[in-house]
Structure formats: structure tokens, C-alpha cells
Amino acid sequence: MTNSTFDTMNTEAKKQLKSVFGYDNFRDEQEEIINQVLNKKDIIVLMPTGGGKSICFQIPALLFDNLTVVISPLISLMKDQVDALKSNGVHAAYFNSSVNEQDKSQIINDAQSGKLKLLYISPETLIPAMNSWFRDLTISLVAIDEAHCVSMWGHDFRPEYTQLKSLRTKLSHVPFIALTATADKITRKDIENHLGLVNPITFLSSFDRPNLNLEVRGNVPKQKKIDQILDFIEARPDKSGIIYCLSRKETEEWSQILNDNNVKANYYHAGLTSDERDKIQTAFINDEIPIMCATIAFGMGIDKSNVRWVIHNNLPKNIEGYYQEIGRAGRDSMKSDTLLYFNYRDVKLLSDFARDSEHSTVLQEKLNRMLEYAEATTCRRKILLAYFSEVLSDNCGNCDVCRNPTSTFDGTVIAQKALSAIKRADEKAGNNTIIEILRGAKTTEMFSKGYNELKTFGIGADLSAQQWLFYLTQLKNIGLIEIAYDENMHLKISTFGEKVLFGKLTLQLAHYQEKEKLSKTAKVKKQPSSLSPDELLFDRLKLLRRKISVEENVPAYIVFSDATLSQMSAEKPTTENEMLAIQGIGLQKYISYGQDFIDLIKLFIKDTGPKKTTFEETFDLIQQGLLVDDIAEIRKIAPTTVYSHLAKLMQDGFPIQFSAYVDDSDFRKVKAILPTLEDTSALKPIFEALGGEVDYGVIRLSLTFIGMEG
Ligand code: ADP
Ligand code: ZN
């Protein structure tokens, strides 16, 4: 294929992205993936949940002449994707056991006549159909979603997936694209082999989800945990969230606790009938039940973009599961919170499960790594990404460890006190007992077991029990203490620990810090009384969305995503063009809902005083002395957008102090590169010529400045 054909395809793909899906730019690898699909290559896409996999086959489907078949294992997921496509004006349908006979023949007709662009189908429906009506279709592309289901080693193995290989053989000239959010090596190999892909090109995206805030709290007593979770929910009124529990009983318990405290919530687990489960799941997706207390059975196949938080009531079994579960939050890329609680009783329980299983060593090891993550005192995102073989060079700044960076001190004496208490208790005591020994607690256990006579009894009375817990955890993390999961969680001293105990090594420890302060400050910030005008408008837009979603019986996020409403509340579009400039609003969405939202925004502006342009709003914040990142954060817009506002303001004669926003050295780089370039009207060539070292926004502002100078 020649370069110019490529370029035409690119432009076409981009046009579809804007007019159908309402987005200006492709994310990361989407464009390259689409190119290769159009080039009829077999492809494997590994991208985290929320990364934007669907567009990778949906846009080619729009550009190809004939039908795209999408194989998907979950009925609910198929329905959601098809609803979303239809709302964007795309001819799509799904075909599975839930469809009645009459609809089935209609769909077959539409597929054969070329009316349909995409047909979603489950593998168990497809396999038998391959020798009947399916044979007569003219197919341009096959997409296999949730492709990890083909892997026996994975957590979602579906035997029917292995039969898809025969489809590959039958459709030898049709490109296949396999997509999944599971990234490990075995899965990748299985996908390639068992689906019979031909020299597939593999796209492995970063699994980083920077919008997810990570926080872990260990060994919080039950009542305190309840208080904390109620506070957490109160600070996020009306936001959608999931509490994951280990057992069915706990899901019911938490739902009850929340209801008792006037929080609307329900529970979900595999013990409910499938009707009940469907009903509850739909209510959650439609924002009717904001909070779900659930076992991990909940979530697979839920394509809800505005889940704002995920709490784990217990430690997950492994990091894969944990990552997938927290990944259900913030699929719309907006900031979302995740909070993990763990205690050693869960670890014991999980460890017992693991031991009794067939692959016991692996499961134990995975559990250990999960625990190490929970106990870590280094950036958590680094640990997570390292688990998926990715290196994050800087600390993330969006986890509890990063927010509370630990300064260290010589902790040798503290370590020695703890280690010697463990030794004198004959390595036959657990966490709590050791802490009581150190603190010289006057409990019956101390006296009945004679611990009160140990030399170490009370040598750590200067520290609180919380502090000791904190230091013991660190000693475990660093590897001085090991937990004997098989001996009642008794603490043992490792060889490394022996060296410290006998003074052969010194040791740095992180300072103790109170963890709860964080959530309290977060709470103050989010009191409803302090809603800004943008937030008020956002709430009203959400109500309108809700009304439409009920009327049309589609999930709220299919009408518009939270990200779209948020941009709408910041920019306040009141014309068709302004509305179409909002991300996520394509032509069909504009036709269906645009006017209703414009009317609401106009009314809101009338109620709240004269409308400021988006530039003036940015200017107000500049006058308050705020910098680009802060303004972007407050206005919920991208920093590059703020830069473009600055450029416009500067051009319009507003007093903008250029040097406050552009580094002198950056400016000189931009200025120096210009004479070497043919085209200096577009930003991209300049950006690339500078090796990506200078941000687009800075380049744009510099060009404006240079233009004004000259
Ligand atoms: P995945 O299937 O990988 O979990 P989706 O395909 O459901 O992810 O996409 C997640 C969200 O991101 C959706 O709301 C989608 O509309 C949005 N999205 C996808 N691509 C883009 C893009 N290029 N720009 C903006 N939003 C996008
Ligand atoms: Zn971090």
C-alpha cells in the first residue's frame, strides 16, 4: 500500500472518530492499530480496561465495505456496546441466546443484505451457525473481544473460544483482531496459538491508569472501618462505587450497614438468581443504585464508565484480580478513588484456600505479592506496573505512599526491640501478642503465658500500639520478619533479621504517620455547600441525562459520559458548533440530545449571571495567580487547552505575562528550531523536531508570542 493511500485512510479514520464518536484525537496506539487493521493484518491488542479498545475495530468496521463480526462472551456486554453504537447512529446488532426467533431472522436478513455494519455474536451461537446462515455473509473483519477467554490458564477460560480457530481457517483472507485487558505472557501466547492468528502484530499498551488514586489501609478494626467507609461515601455524594467483599455474607452485611445509615446500596453475588442479578446490575448501570456491595462475580461484563470509586473490604487473592477490580473505576479517565483494606485474618483465610488448591505454590506466591503490595512503603503504582513488567521511572504522586512520602531514620534499635521480643516469645506469638509484650500490656494472656516475666516486657512502652504495628509491617516488608501462615500467623525472624538483631547491620525505617488525616481533608473540600457554578451545572446536566436515560431506557453513560458532561459544564456550549466541539458528542448524539442540553445551559447562564467565555474564565484564574496545571485541574480541562486559552488571551490583548508560563530555555529551543523547518504553521512538525521535549501548549504559546513580536 502506498503512503498516500495510508494518508487518505488516516484522514477517513479521523473523520469517523469526530463525526461518529465525537472525539478530536486518537489515544496512544489506536491510530496505528486501525491502520494495520485496514491493512488487513492479524492483530493482538493488549490494553487495560478503559483504554479504548472498541474503537480499534469499530472505526475499521465503518470504513470497510462489508460486515464486521465481533465475538464477545458476555450477553450484557454485547447489549451495552450495541446500544452505544446505535446511539451514535451506527447500524449494529447482537445475536445470542437472549434474542427471540423473529428478531433473529431480521438480524440475519440485515447482515446478509449489507444493512448491518457490525454484528456482535457469542461463540456458542456462532459455532453452530458457521455451517448455515453465517456461511452466506460477506465479512470484512473479525474482532475477538475478551480474547484471553481462550487461555486455559486464565481466570475466564471458555472452551468455545478454542473452536474459533476453525473460523480463522475458513476466513483465510479476512483480518482478525483479538483484544484483551489481560497482559501476561502465557495469555498472549495462547491467544496467538489457539486462535490461529497469522503472524499477528502485537500492540501492548501501557497498563498505567494514572487517574486511579491508590490507597491501602491495614488492620483497621471493624467499627473504625465502618466509620471510615461512611465518611468516604459521604464525601462523595451520589457517586457510583463498588465495595468488593470476600464472601456472600459480607456483601449482604455491608449493604445492610449502608442502608441502616441511609446510604442507598444493594448487594450482588452468585447466590442470587440470574433474574435478580440482571435486575440489580441494570439498576447499577442506570445509576439507580449508586453503590454495590459485591463479590468479584460482579463487574466482568459491566461497561459502566462513571464508577467513581472501588473499595476492597478484604485483600484480593492476587494482583491481576486487584488490578482488574480497581480498573472498573474511572473508565472515563476521570479521577477516581480506590481504597484497599486488609487484615491478617483474611490473609490466613486466603492462604488456606490457596494451600488446598491444585496449583498451591503459585497461588501462595501470588498472594504473597499481593500482601507485599498492601504493606509497601514505596510508590504503589510502581509496584503494580512492575508486576506487569512495566517500569515507571518517577513516583506516581497519586497513591497514599507518594502523598505521604516517608522520611527515614536509623531504626536499628526499634527493630532490635521487636526482634528480641519475637525471639524471647520463642517465635510462637503473632502481631498483637508481640505488641502487647513490647508495650508491657496488663492483659490476661501476658500473665497466663508468663510473658510478663520476659526481659523484653515493656521495653517498647514509649510507642503506641499503632506505631508498633506500623514498624512491624515495615520489618516484614523489608524482610526481617516472616509470617508463618501455617502456624497461626506467628512471627519468625529471617536470617537478615538475625543480622540486625545481633548488631551486624543497621537499618533505616520510615517515620510513623497518621494515615487518616488525608481522607478528612478530602472531605472538607467536597462539601456540597461549596459547589462551584461549574459543579452546580454538572449536577443539573446529570439530572437531564438521567431523565433522558429513563425515557429511552438506556444506561445514562450511553447518553453522555461523565467526562463529556464535565467538559460541557466547564465550557458551557450554547451553539451547535460549540456543542460539537465537546469530546464525545458526534453528529447523531447532537441530533438526539444537543438542543435539550443547550436549552438547559442557556437557562443556567441566565440564572447565574452573564456568561463568561471560556477564555475569560481561564483569565480569572490567571489573575488569581494560578499556574497552568492548577487551572487545568480546577476547570477540568487539559493543560494544552489552558495554553491555547493563554495564546488567545494574549492575542486579544489581555495582560499575560509570557515568561511566567514558558521557560526561557524552552522558548529559545522553539525559536531556534523554526528557521530549520519548512512548515511552521502546524505544531506537530515543531514538536517532533524538538524530539518531544517541549509540550504542545508551550510551543503554541511561544509561536503566538513570536508572531506578536514580529
Ligand atoms: P475498553 O474496551 O478498552 O475497556 P472502551 O473502548 O470501552 O475501553 O473505551 C473506554 C472509554 O474511552 C469509552 O468511554 C470511550 O468512548 C472512550 N474513548 C475511546 N477512545 C477515545 C478517544 N480517542 N478519545 C476520547 N475518548 C475515547
Ligand atoms: Zn505513587
Side-chain angles (χ1 to χ4, degrees):
M1 194 166 298
T2 65
N3 263 339
S4 70
T5 346
F6 253 139
D7 289 346
T8 329
M9 285 184 337
N10 270 346
T11 335
E12 277 310 307
K14 223 160 174 186
K15 266 194 206 149
Q16 300 288 339
L17 181 70
K18 184 63 189 166
S19 67
V20 177
F21 299 96
Y23 298 126
D24 286 344
N25 296 302
F26 283 112
R27 279 188 194 150
D28 310 320
E29 298 184 294
Q30 284 175 333
E31 191 166 18
E32 184 55 24
I33 295 170
I34 290 170
N35 259 336
Q36 296 295 1
V37 175
L38 294 174
N39 212 5
K40 309 218 163 137
K41 293 278 196 295
D42 276 0
I43 287 169
I44 299 177
V45 174
L46 306 133
M47 216 187 249
T49 311
K53 285 185 283 299
S54 321
I55 275 180
C56 299
F57 58 83
Q58 288 171 347
I59 287 191
L62 296 174
L63 296 178
F64 279 134
D65 289 337
N66 298 309
L67 183 70
T68 290
V69 173
V70 184
I71 295 156
S72 169
L74 293 159
I75 292 179
S76 59
L77 203 85
M78 272 188 228
K79 181 175 180 326
D80 286 349
Q81 288 225 356
V82 168
D83 282 349
L85 282 167
K86 283 183 175 165
S87 79
N88 282 326
V90 177
H91 289 292
Y94 61 89
F95 199 104
N96 57 38
S97 55
S98 77
V99 180
N100 67 39
E101 289 309 316
Q102 198 186 338
D103 289 348
K104 274 186 184 163
S105 47
Q106 181 65 49
I107 293 168
I108 293 173
N109 264 332
D110 289 351
Q112 286 171 342
S113 72
K115 194 170 156 213
L116 275 188
K117 292 291 349 171
L118 291 105
L119 176 65
Y120 283 69
I121 189 165
S122 62
E124 52 280 18
T125 316
L126 169 73
I127 309 271
M130 266 162 63
N131 293 317
S132 60
W133 61 270
F134 192 84
R135 237 183 359 205
D136 306 327
L137 301 177
T138 318
I139 295 170
S140 287
L141 171 67
V142 174
I144 301 171
D145 212 357
E146 313 286 345
H148 61 275
C149 290
V150 79
S151 171
M152 277 209 290
W153 306 107
H155 41 84
D156 300 321
F157 176 57
R158 284 167 190 256
E160 320 85 58
Y161 259 68
T162 53
Q163 296 181 45
L164 295 173
K165 196 168 186 169
S166 61
L167 184 66
R168 184 74 200 86
T169 327
K170 282 208 169 103
L171 299 173
S172 57
H173 296 296
V174 174
F176 272 50
I177 175 170
L179 310 100
T180 175
T182 307
D184 63 72
K185 271 203 191 122
I186 306 184
T187 314
R188 260 185 269 171
K189 254 211 175 118
D190 282 355
I191 291 176
E192 178 166 352
N193 295 337
H194 299 328
L195 293 178
L197 302 182
V198 184
N199 299 325
I201 309 177
T202 301
F203 288 89
L204 176 58
S205 298
S206 166
F207 271 65
D208 193 7
R209 300 279 311 277
N211 61 318
L212 297 184
N213 167 25
L214 307 169
E215 182 168 343
V216 181
R217 297 182 190 171
N219 297 308
V220 179
K222 179 85 180 268
Q223 187 52 49
K224 204 160 172 193
K225 177 159 41 167
I226 294 175
D227 292 344
Q228 286 182 359
I229 291 184
L230 288 171
D231 276 359
F232 180 98
I233 292 171
E234 197 193 325
R236 293 161 181 76
D238 301 324
K239 299 282 194 259
S240 195
I242 306 172
I243 302 182
Y244 278 113
C245 305
L246 205 55
S247 68
R248 297 177 183 184
K249 193 168 134 260
E250 278 174 322
T251 65
E252 297 181 16
E253 239 175 61
W254 272 105
S255 170
Q256 190 63 50
I257 293 171
L258 297 183
N259 290 339
D260 289 347
N261 285 279
N262 296 320
V263 176
K264 205 167 163 191
N266 210 327
Y267 60 88
Y268 181 107
H269 55 63
L272 302 173
T273 67
S274 86
D275 271 358
E276 285 170 320
R277 273 180 287 158
D278 281 353
K279 231 166 86 190
I280 293 173
Q281 180 165 319
T282 310
F284 179 70
I285 289 178
N286 291 344
D287 286 339
E288 281 151 28
I289 301 173
I291 297 173
M292 198 58 66
C293 308
T295 58
I296 53 169
F298 183 71
M300 171 82 175
I302 290 190
D303 185 2
K304 180 173 162 68
S305 65
N306 66 341
V307 176
R308 287 275 75 83
W309 54 264
V310 167
I311 292 179
H312 279 87
N313 182 50
N314 323 80
L315 193 77
K317 290 195 198 71
N318 52 51
I319 290 187
E320 291 98 312
Y322 170 67
Y323 205 60
Q324 208 166 55
E325 283 137 31
I326 60 173
R328 306 227 157 92
R331 293 187 57 161
D332 52 12
S333 308
M334 306 222 343
K335 280 192 185 311
S336 306
D337 296 305
T338 77
L339 177 54
L340 162 66
Y341 284 100
F342 74 99
N343 64 54
Y344 292 111
R345 240 179 326 133
D346 303 339
V347 178
K348 163 97 174 85
L349 201 68
L350 290 170
S351 170
D352 289 347
F353 282 150
R355 211 187 26 235
D356 297 342
S357 130
E358 197 185 335
H359 311 286
S360 125
T361 4
V362 183
L363 296 184
Q364 287 274 2
E365 180 51 32
K366 289 194 165 187
L367 177 62
N368 275 340
R369 293 198 64 180
M370 187 65 229
L371 184 62
E372 277 165 18
Y373 168 82
E375 294 181 323
T377 42
T378 52
C379 172
R380 296 197 195 277
R381 201 171 314 269
K382 274 193 169 168
I383 304 177
L384 284 181
L385 289 177
Y387 187 83
F388 297 111
S389 317
E390 262 184 73
V391 180
L392 187 68
S393 54
D394 292 325
N395 287 338
C396 79
N398 196 19
C399 73
D400 50 351
V401 181
C402 281
R403 261 191 308 277
N404 254 1
T406 42
S407 55
T408 57
F409 64 101
D410 185 340
T412 314
V413 174
I414 286 190
Q416 284 169 337
K417 283 181 183 174
L419 293 168
S420 95
I422 293 170
K423 184 138 215 131
R424 294 201 183 256
D426 273 341
E427 302 191 320
K428 287 205 173 84
N431 250 330
N432 290 338
T433 311
I434 294 297
I435 293 173
E436 290 187 346
I437 296 174
L438 285 162
R439 295 194 19 87
K442 305 212 162 37
T443 59
T444 19
E445 191 196 2
M446 292 295 111
F447 291 102
S448 67
K449 295 206 174 143
Y451 289 140
N452 59 324
E453 284 166 21
L454 297 180
K455 257 182 139 177
T456 40
F457 190 71
I459 52 167
D462 53 328
L463 299 181
S464 71
Q466 280 300 323
Q467 284 170 314
W468 272 117
L469 191 61
F470 179 81
Y471 291 125
L472 283 176
T473 303
Q474 270 193 72
L475 297 179
K476 282 175 217 156
N477 254 338
I478 307 173
L480 276 71
I481 300 176
E482 285 158 4
I483 306 170
Y485 292 104
D486 47 353
E487 294 175 40
N488 287 323
M489 307 291 130
H490 289 163
L491 303 185
K492 311 263 170 191
I493 301 173
S494 70
T495 359
F496 180 29
E498 298 271 335
K499 289 188 182 144
V500 175
L501 178 59
F502 297 119
K504 294 195 183 110
L505 279 177
T506 62
L507 186 75
Q508 290 288 311
L509 286 178
H511 280 294
Y512 173 73
Q513 59 226 320
E514 297 260 6
K515 282 208 167 176
E516 274 160 65
K517 284 188 187 136
L518 270 173
S519 59
K520 291 282 188 229
T521 42
K523 188 176 166 185
V524 174
K525 228 167 101 185
K526 290 182 180 159
Q527 285 297 322
S529 57
S530 61
L531 281 187
S532 69
D534 285 2
E535 285 169 315
L536 265 175
L537 177 56
F538 182 63
D539 274 0
R540 290 205 206 161
L541 294 172
K542 263 174 44 181
L543 282 176
L544 175 57
R545 174 178 71 178
R546 176 80 178 276
K547 185 171 149 265
I548 295 175
S549 108
V550 172
E551 279 166 10
E552 306 204 342
N553 194 22
V554 292
Y557 69 87
I558 284 187
V559 178
F560 284 135
S561 72
D562 275 17
T564 297
L565 291 193
S566 164
Q567 200 193 350
M568 231 189 262
S569 63
E571 310 254 335
K572 305 187 185 58
T574 54
T575 64
E576 174 174 350
N577 275 341
E578 286 174 358
M579 200 48 117
L580 285 170
I582 303 286
Q583 298 303 296
I585 307 186
L587 285 175
Q588 184 58 48
K589 287 268 175 84
Y590 176 76
I591 293 167
S592 309
Y593 316 121
Q595 198 55 48
D596 287 352
F597 281 83
I598 286 180
D599 290 347
L600 175 66
I601 293 168
K602 281 188 174 159
L603 198 68
F604 180 86
I605 293 170
K606 202 166 125 246
D607 287 352
T608 54
K611 181 191 177 187
K612 289 200 168 166
T613 66
T614 183
F615 310 107
E616 285 166 342
E617 285 189 21
T618 296
F619 186 66
D620 283 351
L621 296 171
I622 288 169
Q623 284 202 303
Q624 292 170 29
L626 295 175
L627 291 174
V628 173
D629 285 345
D630 299 326
I631 297 173
E633 165 99 38
I634 291 173
R635 299 210 53 206
K636 301 202 175 79
I637 52 183
T640 37
T641 311
V642 179
Y643 274 110
S644 70
H645 290 179
L646 285 170
K648 165 94 167 104
L649 288 163
M650 207 156 72
Q651 258 169 349
D652 290 353
F654 283 79
I656 301 292
Q657 195 197 343
F658 178 71
S659 61
Y661 302 100
V662 173
D663 254 17
D664 203 34
S665 66
D666 282 348
F667 179 61
R668 269 187 268 138
K669 278 185 209 157
V670 175
K671 212 169 170 177
I673 204 90
L674 292 181
T676 69
L677 296 172
E678 269 174 41
D679 176 13
T680 56
S681 63
L683 299 179
K684 200 168 178 205
I686 306 179
F687 179 78
E688 282 169 359
L690 290 169
E693 279 177 33
V694 181
D695 287 345
Y696 274 105
V698 173
I699 297 175
R700 178 188 298 242
L701 195 56
S702 302
L703 289 182
T704 310
F705 189 69
I706 292 167
M708 290 169 64
E709 272 185 331

